């Protein structure tokens, strides 16, 4: 029994030292004290389920102050994804918990030859408060249709991720602000329409 205690006394500090070294090798994300969690409902998204999953993962990997998660209670999500036959359109955020954002994933953009995951990541960028920047390069997710159908990048660049982190940097304090939301209609052929609500 004494031999086992001595062995454990030697092993525990060694294991803790290894865990601390591993944690130091991978710095912690630069998150604020309160990470904002936004829930989404994709139950009406049909064939967009795979692109939604990938786009959400891309955003979650890129940002630190907000986390996107599927809702456990349909009808109570902060925003919804919906498959439509028209052009993609989205509520321009930033959306906060208790919000009412909507992403309409329009089939017309796919019919024009645009990548479904890029479309989804772009529209999710609007939910997170990013405007369109059609003159940007393919490396920018918010350049949308600007770079053409050959662009399939679905990951936000560092500047876009930094802006989203800034949008959610105040955590709970930012949630108390009232926001006037716009609906951004992304016509993925070069024309841009915007409406207010």
């Amino acid at each position: 029994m004494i031999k086992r205690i001595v062995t454990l006394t030697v092993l525990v500090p060694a294991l803790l030292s290894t865990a601390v070294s591993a944690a130091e090798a991978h710095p912690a994300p630069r998150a604020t004290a309160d990470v904002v969690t936004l829930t989404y409902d994709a139950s009406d998204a049909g064939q967009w389920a795979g692109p939604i999953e990938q786009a959400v993962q891309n955003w979650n990997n890129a940002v630190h102050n907000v986390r996107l998660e599927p809702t456990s209670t349909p009808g109570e999500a902060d925003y919804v994804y919906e498959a439509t036959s028209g052009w993609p359109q989205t509520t321009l955020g930033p959306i906060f918990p208790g919000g009412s954002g909507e992403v309409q994933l329009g089939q017309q953009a796919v019919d024009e030859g645009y990548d479904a995951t890029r479309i989804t990541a772009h529209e999710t960028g609007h939910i997170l408060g990013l405007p369109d920047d059609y003159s940007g390069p393919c490396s920018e997710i918010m350049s949308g249709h600007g770079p053409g159908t050959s662009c399939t990048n679905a990951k936000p660049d560092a500047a876009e991720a930094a802006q989203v982190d800034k949008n959610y940097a105040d955590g709970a304090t930012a949630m108390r602000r009232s926001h006037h939301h716009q609906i951004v209609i992304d016509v993925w052929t070069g024309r841009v329409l915007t409406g207010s609500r």
Side-chain angles (χ1 to χ4, degrees):
M1 182 70 170
I2 292 175
K3 194 174 194 179
R4 286 184 191 163
I5 292 172
V6 170
T7 302
L8 282 174
T9 305
V10 171
L11 282 177
V12 169
L15 289 172
L16 287 174
S17 169
T18 303
V20 169
S21 295
E24 289 170 0
H26 301 287
R30 298 160 303 207
T32 58
D34 296 320
V35 174
V36 175
T37 299
L38 293 180
T39 59
Y40 64 87
D41 181 355
S43 60
D44 290 330
Q47 76 275 14
W48 292 86
I52 290 168
E53 185 176 333
Q54 185 60 60
V56 164
Q57 181 180 345
N58 291 352
W59 276 109
N60 282 340
N61 287 343
V63 298
H64 307 291
N65 294 338
V66 62
R67 179 127 187 104
L68 307 176
E69 294 182 0
T71 186
S72 57
T73 312
E76 295 185 19
D78 302 314
Y79 72 98
V80 299
Y81 289 103
E82 178 185 10
T84 67
S85 59
W87 293 105
Q89 61 182 13
T90 304
T91 308
L92 179 59
I95 299 295
F96 288 93
S100 59
E102 183 176 5
V103 178
Q104 293 185 9
L105 296 166
Q107 184 61 37
Q108 281 185 277
V110 174
D111 293 345
E112 290 279 332
Y114 293 95
D115 181 75
T117 304
R118 178 172 172 81
I119 294 167
T120 307
H122 174 91
E123 300 305 326
T124 302
H126 288 316
I127 288 288
L128 299 172
L130 298 179
D132 289 313
D133 180 18
Y134 294 132
S135 63
C138 179
S139 59
E140 289 180 6
I141 198 67
M142 298 315 293
S143 64
H145 65 74
T149 56
S150 63
C151 176
T152 60
N153 171 49
K155 295 180 179 179
D157 71 8
E160 292 169 319
Q163 181 58 53
V164 169
D165 276 334
K166 183 177 177 183
N167 291 349
Y168 291 92
D170 295 333
T173 305
M175 287 187 254
R176 292 189 201 102
R177 292 186 206 134
S178 117
H179 295 280
H180 173 75
H181 293 294
Q182 288 186 321
I183 302 297
V184 178
I185 301 171
D186 287 309
V187 181
W188 288 62
T189 57
R191 234 173 20 131
V192 182
L193 304 172
T194 322
S196 294
R197 92 169 164 171

